[in-house]
């Protein structure tokens, strides 16, 4: 149970972040949401998930590619909720292109949002977590933090960076009640992946269903998507007392992708 704890989940207006926010709320945590697009819908879903525990939610629309806005997000969360006990670094974007033609602005944005923001949020929450001698930092990396795929140079570089950063932050907090870990999902059917399925369908001249089967078949032996709820359950497990001494792992939930 996470009653009395506050979780900040970045990129929680959609997909995996929203799923994790709902599961943490269902365990009693107050949740600060962040991300773009519709806020009221996701916020209502998180509040409904936590209704039995009378949880509170907050929202801050920081653009995580901007350091000053990240600082504002952490200041807002601490001001409104006392302190952040659980930080889930989830916000992320994707762009696919060969290295030679990779757009420079996409490279910079992916490194800033998928990697550098993890450093900035972590450095800002760690002092209070150390002070409380309890904290959880959970970084949503990817199988692409462990292995590569063609045309994803920025994403794979950023996610490998997240896994490396996770290990170092875990070592620096190893004698404290603060743990730092990464989760490495395979395919999860969210807007981020739907874009890749639609592009594949257009490129191959096949239906969206056929493109989806092709995408799963190429990499994921289970041939099934992991769900945001399953990832939320894993995050909740890392937050439980069973996670007290789990440190610096890159824990896959990938249908066997990286077992091959
Ligand atoms: P999504 O597109 O559904 O959600 C991304 C979230 O991040 C949204 O809330 C969006 O508003 C937010 N976001 C994007 N740019 C932002 C910015 N600059 N500042 C603040 N928020 C921003 O994507 P998703 O599939 O749920 O992905 C979430 C995380 O999981 C990402 O880090 C992604 O790399 C990772 N991941 C996804 C998959 C997958 O198959 N979907 C697999 C492995 C890892």
């Amino acid at each position: 149970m996470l009653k009395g704890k506050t979780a900040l989940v970045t990129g929680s207006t959609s997909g995996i972040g929203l799923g994790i926010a709902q599961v943490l709320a269902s365990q009693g945590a107050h949740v600060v949401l962040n991300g773009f697009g519709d806020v009221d819908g996701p916020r209502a879903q998180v509040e409904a998930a936590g209704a039995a525990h009378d949880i509170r939610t907050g929202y801050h629309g920081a653009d995580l590619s901007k350091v000053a806005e990240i600082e504002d997000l952490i200041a807002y969360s601490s001001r409104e909720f006392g302190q952040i006990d659980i930080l889930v670094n989830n916000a992320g974007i994707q762009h696919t292109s060969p290295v030679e033609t990779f757009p420079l602005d996409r490279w910079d944005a992916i490194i800033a949002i998928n990697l550098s923001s993890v450093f900035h949020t972590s450095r800002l929450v760690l002092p209070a977590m150390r002070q409380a001698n309890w904290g959880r930092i959970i970084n949503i990396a990817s199988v692409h933090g462990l292995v590569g795929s063609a045309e994803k140079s920025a994403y794979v570089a950023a996610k490998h960076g997240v896994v490396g950063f996770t290990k170092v932050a875990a070592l620096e907090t190893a004698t404290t009640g603060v743990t730092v870990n990464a989760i490495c999902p395979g395919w999860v059917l969210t807007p981020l992946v739907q874009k890749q399925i639609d592009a594949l369908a257009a490129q191959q001249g096949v239906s969206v269903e056929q493109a989806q089967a092709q995408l799963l078949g190429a990499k994921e032996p289970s041939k099934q998507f992991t769900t945001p709820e399953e990832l939320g359950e894993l995050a909740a497990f890392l937050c439980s007392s069973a996670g007290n001494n789990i440190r610096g792992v890159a824990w896959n939930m990938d249908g066997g992708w990286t077992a091959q």
Side-chain angles (χ1 to χ4, degrees):
M1 279 305 255
L2 300 173
K3 219 168 166 55
K5 307 280 191 211
T6 296
L8 165 60
V9 186
T10 68
S12 44
T13 50
S14 168
I16 294 172
L18 177 56
I20 292 175
Q22 285 175 275
V23 173
L24 297 182
S26 75
Q27 303 238 340
H30 305 301
V31 177
V32 180
L33 292 111
N34 156 259
F36 302 146
D38 175 38
V39 175
D40 293 344
R43 195 169 178 171
Q45 283 175 263
V46 174
E47 282 172 1
H53 302 289
D54 222 13
I55 64 137
R56 287 197 298 134
T57 63
Y59 168 77
H60 191 290
D63 176 344
L64 297 187
S65 66
K66 302 198 164 81
V67 179
E69 294 191 25
I70 295 175
E71 287 171 349
D72 252 18
L73 164 66
I74 304 301
Y76 159 83
S77 306
S78 310
R79 196 169 59 239
E80 295 294 320
F81 291 86
Q83 81 168 58
I84 299 159
D85 305 291
I86 300 163
L87 167 65
V88 182
N89 284 309
N90 165 79
I93 58 168
Q94 175 63 287
H95 184 85
T96 58
S97 172
V99 170
E100 304 93 297
T101 51
F102 209 93
L104 302 191
D105 69 322
R106 290 300 83 203
W107 174 276
D108 287 345
I110 289 175
I111 298 300
I113 296 163
N114 295 18
L115 175 59
S116 299
S117 78
V118 175
F119 160 66
H120 291 298
T121 53
S122 300
R123 74 177 168 82
L124 292 164
V125 302
L126 272 170
M129 285 184 177
R130 279 183 189 278
Q131 183 84 31
N133 200 32
W134 197 93
R136 295 287 188 262
I137 297 180
I138 300 171
N139 298 323
I140 307 305
S142 166
V143 285
H144 287 118
L146 304 168
V147 295
S149 290
E151 304 200 346
K152 295 188 174 174
S153 55
Y155 188 86
V156 170
K159 294 299 188 180
H160 274 66
V162 168
V163 169
F165 175 81
T166 300
K167 291 176 183 170
V168 173
L171 290 175
E172 291 182 7
T173 51
T175 58
T176 75
V178 180
T179 71
V180 186
N181 292 291
I183 294 178
C184 297
W187 292 123
V188 187
L189 191 54
T190 66
L192 181 140
V193 164
Q194 190 61 51
K195 268 190 228 159
Q196 294 174 61
I197 293 170
D198 294 343
L200 189 64
Q203 188 194 331
Q204 311 262 320
V206 297
S207 70
V208 169
E209 291 71 26
Q210 285 167 318
Q212 190 169 301
Q214 226 182 81
L215 180 110
L216 279 173
K219 301 271 187 180
E220 194 140 336
S222 69
K223 296 190 175 23
Q224 69 189 42
F225 291 103
T226 294
T227 66
E229 293 69 31
E230 287 163 347
L231 289 161
E233 296 293 344
L234 178 53
F237 171 74
L238 290 172
C239 291
S240 75
S241 56
N244 283 350
N245 207 23
I246 298 176
R247 299 176 188 274
V249 301
W251 193 322
N252 67 302
M253 196 183 258
D254 64 2
W257 184 324
T258 53
Q260 297 170 100

PDB file of all heavy atoms in Angstrom, residues 95-107:
ATOM      1  N   HIS A  95      11.432   9.002 -32.857  1.00  0.00           N
ATOM      2  CA  HIS A  95      11.487   9.389 -34.267  1.00  0.00           C
ATOM      3  C   HIS A  95      12.362   8.358 -34.959  1.00  0.00           C
ATOM      4  O   HIS A  95      13.398   7.969 -34.424  1.00  0.00           O
ATOM      5  CB  HIS A  95      12.086  10.789 -34.443  1.00  0.00           C
ATOM      6  CG  HIS A  95      12.057  11.232 -35.867  1.00  0.00           C
ATOM      7  ND1 HIS A  95      10.946  11.824 -36.432  1.00  0.00           N
ATOM      8  CD2 HIS A  95      12.978  11.106 -36.872  1.00  0.00           C
ATOM      9  CE1 HIS A  95      11.186  12.069 -37.710  1.00  0.00           C
ATOM     10  NE2 HIS A  95      12.412  11.642 -38.000  1.00  0.00           N
ATOM     11  N   THR A  96      11.933   7.903 -36.130  1.00  0.00           N
ATOM     12  CA  THR A  96      12.728   6.889 -36.831  1.00  0.00           C
ATOM     13  C   THR A  96      13.267   7.453 -38.136  1.00  0.00           C
ATOM     14  O   THR A  96      12.543   8.124 -38.883  1.00  0.00           O
ATOM     15  CB  THR A  96      11.883   5.627 -37.136  1.00  0.00           C
ATOM     16  OG1 THR A  96      10.753   6.015 -37.917  1.00  0.00           O
ATOM     17  CG2 THR A  96      11.410   4.956 -35.862  1.00  0.00           C
ATOM     18  N   SER A  97      14.546   7.184 -38.370  1.00  0.00           N
ATOM     19  CA  SER A  97      15.220   7.651 -39.587  1.00  0.00           C
ATOM     20  C   SER A  97      16.640   7.079 -39.577  1.00  0.00           C
ATOM     21  O   SER A  97      17.208   6.895 -38.495  1.00  0.00           O
ATOM     22  CB  SER A  97      15.272   9.185 -39.567  1.00  0.00           C
ATOM     23  OG  SER A  97      16.067   9.660 -40.620  1.00  0.00           O
ATOM     24  N   PRO A  98      17.210   6.804 -40.738  1.00  0.00           N
ATOM     25  CA  PRO A  98      18.621   6.378 -40.749  1.00  0.00           C
ATOM     26  C   PRO A  98      19.516   7.473 -40.165  1.00  0.00           C
ATOM     27  O   PRO A  98      19.159   8.659 -40.222  1.00  0.00           O
ATOM     28  CB  PRO A  98      18.927   6.172 -42.233  1.00  0.00           C
ATOM     29  CG  PRO A  98      17.611   6.069 -42.907  1.00  0.00           C
ATOM     30  CD  PRO A  98      16.631   6.856 -42.080  1.00  0.00           C
ATOM     31  N   VAL A  99      20.684   7.062 -39.674  1.00  0.00           N
ATOM     32  CA  VAL A  99      21.603   8.014 -39.028  1.00  0.00           C
ATOM     33  C   VAL A  99      21.920   9.199 -39.943  1.00  0.00           C
ATOM     34  O   VAL A  99      21.856  10.355 -39.519  1.00  0.00           O
ATOM     35  CB  VAL A  99      22.924   7.299 -38.628  1.00  0.00           C
ATOM     36  CG1 VAL A  99      23.983   8.302 -38.177  1.00  0.00           C
ATOM     37  CG2 VAL A  99      22.667   6.273 -37.532  1.00  0.00           C
ATOM     38  N   GLU A 100      22.218   8.910 -41.215  1.00  0.00           N
ATOM     39  CA  GLU A 100      22.696   9.982 -42.105  1.00  0.00           C
ATOM     40  C   GLU A 100      21.660  11.077 -42.314  1.00  0.00           C
ATOM     41  O   GLU A 100      22.007  12.219 -42.612  1.00  0.00           O
ATOM     42  CB  GLU A 100      23.069   9.438 -43.491  1.00  0.00           C
ATOM     43  CG  GLU A 100      24.088   8.317 -43.503  1.00  0.00           C
ATOM     44  CD  GLU A 100      23.406   6.958 -43.498  1.00  0.00           C
ATOM     45  OE1 GLU A 100      22.699   6.647 -42.524  1.00  0.00           O
ATOM     46  OE2 GLU A 100      23.603   6.205 -44.467  1.00  0.00           O
ATOM     47  N   THR A 101      20.385  10.712 -42.202  1.00  0.00           N
ATOM     48  CA  THR A 101      19.347  11.717 -42.477  1.00  0.00           C
ATOM     49  C   THR A 101      18.544  12.063 -41.225  1.00  0.00           C
ATOM     50  O   THR A 101      17.485  12.684 -41.325  1.00  0.00           O
ATOM     51  CB  THR A 101      18.378  11.182 -43.562  1.00  0.00           C
ATOM     52  OG1 THR A 101      17.939   9.886 -43.170  1.00  0.00           O
ATOM     53  CG2 THR A 101      19.057  11.111 -44.917  1.00  0.00           C
ATOM     54  N   PHE A 102      19.045  11.636 -40.066  1.00  0.00           N
ATOM     55  CA  PHE A 102      18.277  11.874 -38.829  1.00  0.00           C
ATOM     56  C   PHE A 102      18.184  13.387 -38.595  1.00  0.00           C
ATOM     57  O   PHE A 102      19.207  14.070 -38.493  1.00  0.00           O
ATOM     58  CB  PHE A 102      18.951  11.187 -37.639  1.00  0.00           C
ATOM     59  CG  PHE A 102      17.985  10.785 -36.560  1.00  0.00           C
ATOM     60  CD1 PHE A 102      17.427   9.514 -36.541  1.00  0.00           C
ATOM     61  CD2 PHE A 102      17.601  11.695 -35.578  1.00  0.00           C
ATOM     62  CE1 PHE A 102      16.514   9.149 -35.559  1.00  0.00           C
ATOM     63  CE2 PHE A 102      16.679  11.336 -34.593  1.00  0.00           C
ATOM     64  CZ  PHE A 102      16.143  10.055 -34.588  1.00  0.00           C
ATOM     65  N   PRO A 103      16.975  13.949 -38.485  1.00  0.00           N
ATOM     66  CA  PRO A 103      16.867  15.405 -38.313  1.00  0.00           C
ATOM     67  C   PRO A 103      17.509  15.859 -36.997  1.00  0.00           C
ATOM     68  O   PRO A 103      17.240  15.266 -35.942  1.00  0.00           O
ATOM     69  CB  PRO A 103      15.352  15.649 -38.282  1.00  0.00           C
ATOM     70  CG  PRO A 103      14.727  14.396 -38.795  1.00  0.00           C
ATOM     71  CD  PRO A 103      15.675  13.276 -38.513  1.00  0.00           C
ATOM     72  N   LEU A 104      18.334  16.881 -37.082  1.00  0.00           N
ATOM     73  CA  LEU A 104      19.098  17.321 -35.905  1.00  0.00           C
ATOM     74  C   LEU A 104      18.184  17.739 -34.759  1.00  0.00           C
ATOM     75  O   LEU A 104      18.462  17.459 -33.596  1.00  0.00           O
ATOM     76  CB  LEU A 104      20.021  18.493 -36.270  1.00  0.00           C
ATOM     77  CG  LEU A 104      21.040  18.231 -37.388  1.00  0.00           C
ATOM     78  CD1 LEU A 104      22.047  19.379 -37.458  1.00  0.00           C
ATOM     79  CD2 LEU A 104      21.765  16.908 -37.178  1.00  0.00           C
ATOM     80  N   ASP A 105      17.069  18.387 -35.096  1.00  0.00           N
ATOM     81  CA  ASP A 105      16.193  18.855 -34.014  1.00  0.00           C
ATOM     82  C   ASP A 105      15.526  17.664 -33.315  1.00  0.00           C
ATOM     83  O   ASP A 105      15.272  17.698 -32.117  1.00  0.00           O
ATOM     84  CB  ASP A 105      15.155  19.853 -34.527  1.00  0.00           C
ATOM     85  CG  ASP A 105      14.133  19.206 -35.434  1.00  0.00           C
ATOM     86  OD1 ASP A 105      14.502  18.316 -36.227  1.00  0.00           O
ATOM     87  OD2 ASP A 105      12.942  19.568 -35.356  1.00  0.00           O
ATOM     88  N   ARG A 106      15.282  16.557 -34.062  1.00  0.00           N
ATOM     89  CA  ARG A 106      14.685  15.358 -33.435  1.00  0.00           C
ATOM     90  C   ARG A 106      15.709  14.676 -32.520  1.00  0.00           C
ATOM     91  O   ARG A 106      15.376  14.164 -31.464  1.00  0.00           O
ATOM     92  CB  ARG A 106      14.185  14.360 -34.495  1.00  0.00           C
ATOM     93  CG  ARG A 106      12.956  14.786 -35.294  1.00  0.00           C
ATOM     94  CD  ARG A 106      11.738  15.026 -34.423  1.00  0.00           C
ATOM     95  NE  ARG A 106      11.715  16.352 -33.837  1.00  0.00           N
ATOM     96  CZ  ARG A 106      11.063  16.713 -32.731  1.00  0.00           C
ATOM     97  NH1 ARG A 106      10.369  15.841 -32.047  1.00  0.00           N
ATOM     98  NH2 ARG A 106      11.099  17.936 -32.269  1.00  0.00           N
ATOM     99  N   TRP A 107      16.970  14.639 -32.971  1.00  0.00           N
ATOM    100  CA  TRP A 107      18.023  14.065 -32.127  1.00  0.00           C
ATOM    101  C   TRP A 107      18.082  14.827 -30.798  1.00  0.00           C
ATOM    102  O   TRP A 107      18.028  14.229 -29.711  1.00  0.00           O
ATOM    103  CB  TRP A 107      19.393  14.118 -32.825  1.00  0.00           C
ATOM    104  CG  TRP A 107      20.513  13.673 -31.915  1.00  0.00           C
ATOM    105  CD1 TRP A 107      21.167  14.452 -31.002  1.00  0.00           C
ATOM    106  CD2 TRP A 107      21.047  12.349 -31.777  1.00  0.00           C
ATOM    107  NE1 TRP A 107      22.092  13.688 -30.303  1.00  0.00           N
ATOM    108  CE2 TRP A 107      22.040  12.397 -30.757  1.00  0.00           C
ATOM    109  CE3 TRP A 107      20.798  11.131 -32.406  1.00  0.00           C
ATOM    110  CZ2 TRP A 107      22.780  11.277 -30.373  1.00  0.00           C
ATOM    111  CZ3 TRP A 107      21.542  10.010 -32.014  1.00  0.00           C
ATOM    112  CH2 TRP A 107      22.516  10.083 -31.005  1.00  0.00           C
TER     113      TRP A 107
END
